[in-house]
Amino acid sequence: LLFYDMLREMNFNAKMVYTIDRDESHFYDQVKMPQFDYSLVAVGDSQGNFVFFDPGDKYLPIKRIAWYNEGTKGLIVGDMNRQFISLNCSKSNQNQVMRFQDFQLDDDLTLIGRITEKSNGQAAYVIRQNLSSSSEQERLDFLKKYLLDLYPETQIDSISINGLQDPEENLVIEAHRKIPTSVIQMGNHILLKPMAFIAEQENPFSAAERKFPIIFDYAKELTEIVRITLPPEWQVEALPEPITFSNNVGLCQITFESFEQSNLLNVQYRFILNSPFWKAESYADVRNLFEYRQTIEDQIVSLKIKEDKEDTAQ
């Protein structure tokens, strides 16, 4: 209550808000029993709009609430009245994860290099909460599991994390790792799947129809940039066509580029989920978006030995 009292002393239109954790329970309007288990502070303007604060959670940025409070019904208590209000949800661009992966393709067709992940908003909040009271070894174990869940065949040599204590800054995870590639070699040609090392993602929405709403944790935006430096004797022969799919639920996109002078292959993947809440009527759009997400790991890049190297080999 200290934060609330300070705002009132400074003549801000501050009110207490009582709400629930939607990950654990649901609010029932008609039930006459205590249901609220969280308290927040709201500051209103002259138009009746509110900004919500959770001053008791040090891992949340200012003017943000935890994902499990977003979209819930809150009871705002004023001096003379009470009212119910829906707590607003953060937007996808407020919960970003960007992964930069810089690899060298060895002669034995193994990818060796670094990954740097930068996250903010709810994406960073979840990790900060998990590591809030961990020891150094527990932190390392958590981070290794986190990366192995994303990339199951990864061999991690080193790992670090920065930005744990400042929710206003990006949370940065860095690791050096080795990954076996998914390739088919045919003489002087290689068929390479540059995104095959990502964990297989089954479509959770395989049913033809759905009767109930779909609820995700939060809206999000994921960008993965994979840079692969090829061995000197190899070059890109053919790239897949770019894939872009979007609807009102979100976006799924993957593009490929090659740079002959630097012997570099560049892959960029984006996935955006616009909202955590979707009615059953939107189920087909949700299912279609997640179907396209599965296509990224099957994209094939064709490599070949450079002509001068072929002549030398002959």
Side-chain angles (χ1 to χ4, degrees):
L1 293 176
L2 178 60
F3 181 70
Y4 167 75
D5 290 336
M6 290 173 58
L7 291 175
R8 299 284 288 182
E9 284 294 320
M10 292 186 288
N11 294 319
F12 282 94
N13 180 24
K15 303 179 186 296
M16 290 300 300
V17 184
Y18 300 96
T19 186
I20 62 168
D21 178 344
R22 63 173 165 87
D23 196 41
E24 296 184 356
S25 59
H26 181 77
F27 182 80
Y28 298 94
D29 296 59
Q30 306 303 320
V31 174
K32 306 299 182 182
M33 61 175 289
Q35 298 184 64
F36 299 119
D37 48 15
Y38 273 84
S39 60
L40 306 170
V41 176
V43 177
D45 60 21
S46 59
Q47 306 300 316
N49 302 311
F50 290 96
V51 176
F52 299 96
F53 297 83
D54 188 350
D57 195 328
K58 66 179 182 179
Y59 296 110
L60 281 170
I62 295 173
K63 300 182 181 179
R64 297 290 297 273
I65 58 176
W67 64 267
Y68 47 76
N69 295 140
E70 290 186 340
T72 61
K73 184 166 288 190
L75 177 64
I76 295 185
V77 180
D79 294 332
M80 302 296 294
N81 59 14
R82 301 178 181 181
Q83 67 178 105
F84 284 107
I85 189 170
S86 293
L87 276 64
N88 45 310
C89 295
S90 52
K91 298 179 181 179
S92 62
N93 61 8
Q94 295 177 294
N95 307 312
Q96 294 178 318
V97 175
M98 296 193 69
R99 298 192 186 109
F100 303 91
Q101 309 194 53
D102 205 341
F103 290 117
Q104 180 85 36
L105 183 63
D106 275 7
D107 292 333
D108 63 355
L109 304 180
T110 297
L111 292 174
I112 300 177
R114 296 194 66 81
I115 175 174
T116 301
E117 176 183 291
K118 297 181 179 181
S119 60
N120 60 29
Q122 304 293 2
Y125 173 73
V126 170
I127 295 177
R128 288 187 171 108
Q129 281 286 81
N130 275 286
L131 298 179
S132 60
S133 58
S134 61
S135 66
E136 184 175 352
Q137 187 58 51
E138 289 171 336
R139 187 178 304 168
L140 289 174
D141 291 342
F142 174 88
L143 293 174
K144 286 181 179 179
K145 183 180 185 305
Y146 175 73
L147 287 180
L148 287 171
D149 286 344
L150 294 171
Y151 314 109
E153 297 184 9
T154 294
Q155 178 184 323
I156 299 172
D157 297 326
S158 63
I159 192 166
S160 64
I161 186 168
N162 292 289
L164 266 178
Q165 302 303 320
D166 189 351
E168 300 298 330
E169 297 293 331
N170 284 332
L171 184 70
V172 182
I173 299 172
E174 293 184 282
H176 188 275
R177 61 199 183 120
K178 182 186 293 186
I179 302 174
T181 54
S182 177
V183 299
I184 299 174
Q185 186 163 3
M186 300 178 295
N188 294 330
H189 297 262
I190 288 178
L191 300 181
L192 169 68
K193 291 185 177 181
M195 302 296 281
F197 57 80
I198 294 177
E200 183 177 350
Q201 300 175 334
E202 294 184 1
N203 187 351
F205 307 105
S206 57
E209 297 179 352
R210 186 180 176 101
K211 296 181 180 180
F212 303 101
I214 305 107
I215 302 176
F216 298 93
D217 289 348
Y218 49 86
K220 67 182 88 174
E221 183 172 323
L222 168 65
T223 301
E224 295 221 32
I225 298 174
V226 179
R227 291 161 40 100
I228 301 175
T229 301
L230 305 175
E233 65 271 20
W234 290 95
Q235 68 181 28
V236 174
E237 181 179 36
L239 294 173
E241 291 295 320
I243 296 174
T244 299
F245 175 83
S246 64
N247 57 22
N248 64 315
V249 176
L251 174 141
C252 183
Q253 181 182 69
I254 185 167
T255 58
F256 298 83
E257 290 181 287
S258 65
F259 303 92
E260 186 173 350
Q261 289 185 344
S262 54
N263 231 31
L264 187 69
L265 170 64
N266 191 75
V267 185
Q268 180 167 313
Y269 165 65
R270 294 181 69 210
F271 182 83
I272 298 175
L273 180 67
N274 290 329
S275 171
F277 300 108
W278 297 97
K279 295 181 179 179
E281 291 82 355
S282 298
Y283 176 68
D285 287 337
V286 173
R287 183 185 60 204
N288 290 340
L289 178 65
F290 279 79
E291 280 180 356
Y292 269 86
R293 186 184 68 166
Q294 292 180 273
T295 65
I296 65 166
E297 61 190 72
D298 294 326
Q299 302 304 305
I300 295 176
V301 174
S302 176
L303 307 178
K304 70 173 184 177
I305 291 181
K306 293 180 179 178
E307 291 183 3
D308 58 333
K309 300 295 182 180
E310 287 184 295
D311 295 338
T312 303
Q314 293 173 0

